[in-house]
Amino acid sequence: MKEILLQTYTIVLPVLLGYIVWLLKNQKKDRDANSKGTMLLLRVQLIEYHAKYTALGTIPSYAYQNYCEMYEAYHALGGNGMVTKMKQEIEELHIKRKGE
């Protein structure tokens, strides 16, 4: 009886572990694709904010806060480069408070 169990474990265990590894790799691919897509959508929105508010020369405080939060998320996902330069330009704009 012990031999049958031992043989079963020697056959089933590697197959089961292989299946688990395969599942984890597929989940990682999906997460990577979702992260990349999210990063690209954030970049598009950051570029649009930059174009709009640098043309105006001022940015409302709520838009500035949104921009900063989007930038932090974008940066956490691995994005950088030109968006970092754009953030510096956004920070130089006059922040328009409510009632101004």
Side-chain angles (χ1 to χ4, degrees):
M1 183 67 177
K2 278 185 173 181
E3 288 180 27
I4 293 172
L5 284 176
L6 187 58
Q7 287 176 353
T8 304
Y9 284 134
T10 3
I11 294 170
V12 172
L13 192 59
V15 171
L16 183 61
L17 289 175
Y19 179 68
I20 290 171
V21 168
W22 178 80
L23 282 176
L24 291 173
K25 283 182 180 181
N26 281 342
Q27 286 178 350
K28 183 178 179 341
K29 282 184 207 173
D30 290 345
R31 277 193 314 273
D32 290 347
N34 285 334
S35 294
K36 181 74 171 176
T38 301
M39 187 176 72
L40 293 172
L41 290 171
L42 283 167
R43 181 169 41 198
V44 166
Q45 189 64 52
L46 288 165
I47 291 169
E48 288 178 4
Y49 266 48
H50 178 269
K52 177 179 180 178
Y53 294 114
T54 54
L56 291 173
T58 185
I59 185 169
S61 58
Y62 71 86
Y64 177 75
Q65 183 179 358
N66 285 344
Y67 192 92
C68 291
E69 289 176 9
M70 285 189 296
Y71 174 80
E72 287 174 18
Y74 175 79
H75 190 70
L77 288 168
N80 52 26
M82 70 172 189
V83 176
T84 301
K85 173 76 170 119
M86 291 185 338
K87 184 177 187 298
Q88 293 168 351
E89 292 173 1
I90 288 287
E91 289 173 347
E92 293 172 7
L93 295 176
H94 170 72
I95 298 175
K96 193 159 73 172
R97 307 279 177 207
K98 188 176 182 179
E100 280 187 35

